[in-house]
Amino acid sequence: MRASRLVQILLLLQTRGRMTAARLAEELEVSVRTVYRDVEALHAAGVPLYGDAGHAGGYQLLAGYRTRLTGLTTDEAEALFLSGIPGPAAELGLGSVLAAAQLKLRASLPAELRGHADRMQARFHLDAPGWYAEDDPVPYLPQVADAVWNGTVLAVRYRRWKEPTDVDRRLEPYGLVLKAGRWYVVAGPGPRTYRIDQILELRTLDEEFEHGPPEGFDLPAYWRQYRADFHAGLHRAEAVVRISPRGAARLTGAAAEAVAATGRPEPAGDWIRAVLPIESTEHAHGQFLGLGAEVEVLEPAELRDRLRETARDLGALYATGAP
């Protein structure tokens, strides 16, 4: 385990340059004290590694030093072939590049590792989009990707959900994210997040954004926070409901968790009273209609009234025979 970690430290410093002990500890998921001990071990082994103190300090390999400890283990070879995602690569215009890279990598592997990698590709397939979502066309994805690679500015016509829906934006693209089959670009100023399939028009401007992404910008960290903020903003209200066991079994996600956390059996029968998070009256109206007579909304009154009116209209619609 430690030997593997020492190799990781060498490779991190070789590929990224100067890194602080805190940053290395974060990458390796160990304590800073463990990093200090590992660095001492590398020093003792004759690795030309030195460190500087201060705000701009950190550990660094002596200029020109390269490690050759880059042999792949079986697990690493399998993981590399599993990480090849042909669909998204093709959307980026890199399908043939990925295929060529995998072919070269496969040819360089020993026979045993090649067999493991082939089995991994044969037995695992990633299909990112959800079942009920068609693949959205993303005609401007290659141009956006090119702007990300080269740090060039984009002028776009963008469609958003609120009025005015179609707006003009100047984007400084920092990175791309593929989430549940949809492509997003994170771009300045801001940064802000844009769905690429909602770009209506695009022009690549003959300029580069001066300073690149903000100092210290971390795309995975930004996306984790963006996703957390998105989920936190989804459920801004609550509904008090009575729900049957059959209805409760059909709930998923936050609603199912809320039933488990707040559900209390009613004095008579096997129904449960619970407090469920909802996005809005409109959204909850459709959600609870889908449960039919397996749920009764008690609060808020506005939502209960909407459901009662809909039930009355449905009753009138089906009171007569089919035409």
Side-chain angles (χ1 to χ4, degrees):
M1 183 69 174
R2 190 186 190 196
S4 174
R5 195 170 62 242
L6 295 179
V7 172
Q8 285 181 276
I9 291 175
L10 283 175
L11 294 176
L12 283 169
L13 295 177
Q14 181 173 301
T15 56
R16 300 190 188 179
R18 187 190 302 270
M19 294 180 70
T20 65
R23 183 61 178 155
L24 285 168
E26 182 182 346
E27 288 281 346
L28 301 171
E29 298 181 349
V30 297
S31 68
V32 172
R33 182 173 295 182
T34 297
V35 170
Y36 290 151
R37 289 199 296 265
D38 288 345
V39 168
E40 288 300 321
L42 290 170
H43 272 302
V47 175
L49 174 67
Y50 66 93
D52 293 322
H55 177 71
Y59 292 110
Q60 188 170 351
L61 291 170
L62 190 66
Y65 178 82
R66 307 287 292 179
T67 176
R68 297 184 179 275
L69 299 175
T70 54
L72 293 175
T73 66
T74 299
D75 290 343
E76 290 166 346
E78 291 175 350
L80 277 175
F81 275 87
L82 183 59
S83 68
I85 311 174
E91 290 177 331
L92 288 168
L94 300 173
S96 60
V97 176
L98 175 64
Q102 287 189 328
L103 183 62
K104 291 177 181 178
L105 175 59
R106 184 181 181 280
S108 68
L109 292 174
E112 181 182 355
L113 292 187
R114 194 180 308 141
H116 281 285
D118 288 345
R119 283 196 296 276
M120 182 64 72
Q121 280 195 305
R123 297 178 187 181
F124 290 89
H125 175 70
L126 176 64
D127 183 12
W131 280 107
Y132 302 104
E134 295 293 330
D135 290 344
D136 295 316
V138 278
Y140 294 114
L141 178 59
Q143 292 97 313
V144 175
D146 186 69
V148 170
W149 310 147
N150 297 303
T152 50
V153 178
L154 298 174
V156 303
R157 186 79 170 164
Y158 185 75
R159 176 159 294 165
R160 57 183 186 172
W161 62 270
K162 63 181 180 180
E163 296 289 343
T165 56
D166 295 357
V167 294
D168 294 318
R169 291 287 184 265
R170 178 185 182 278
L171 305 185
E172 300 175 355
Y174 301 157
L176 293 170
V177 175
L178 176 62
K179 170 68 173 175
R182 286 200 174 106
W183 284 98
Y184 299 83
V185 59
V186 178
R192 301 181 66 180
T193 303
Y194 300 86
R195 271 180 56 175
I196 297 179
D197 64 337
Q198 296 302 302
I199 294 177
L200 307 177
E201 301 173 14
L202 178 146
R203 287 186 301 111
T204 301
L205 302 183
D206 188 20
E207 61 177 294
E208 299 180 0
F209 41 103
E210 278 186 38
H211 306 295
E215 185 177 353
F217 177 76
D218 184 324
L219 181 61
Y222 167 86
W223 187 258
R224 284 194 297 271
Q225 187 60 52
Y226 176 82
R227 189 176 59 185
D229 293 343
F230 173 81
H231 285 293
L234 274 182
H235 302 117
R236 299 181 179 273
E238 294 177 334
V240 180
V241 304
R242 295 176 63 248
I243 190 165
S244 71
R246 181 182 299 179
R250 290 170 58 186
L251 296 177
T252 59
E257 294 173 4
V259 167
T262 69
R264 299 291 181 269
E266 297 213 307
D270 55 359
W271 280 45
I272 300 168
R273 184 175 295 230
V275 179
L276 304 187
I278 61 174
E279 293 182 32
S280 63
T281 298
E282 187 66 32
H283 183 272
H285 175 260
Q287 179 184 12
F288 290 132
L289 274 180
L291 294 173
E294 303 297 335
V295 66
E296 178 189 2
V297 173
L298 305 177
E299 299 176 18
E302 179 188 4
L303 177 57
R304 182 178 174 87
D305 291 344
R306 283 283 307 277
L307 289 166
R308 182 173 56 246
E309 291 170 7
T310 302
R312 182 192 61 211
D313 294 343
L314 284 171
L317 182 66
Y318 286 99
T320 59

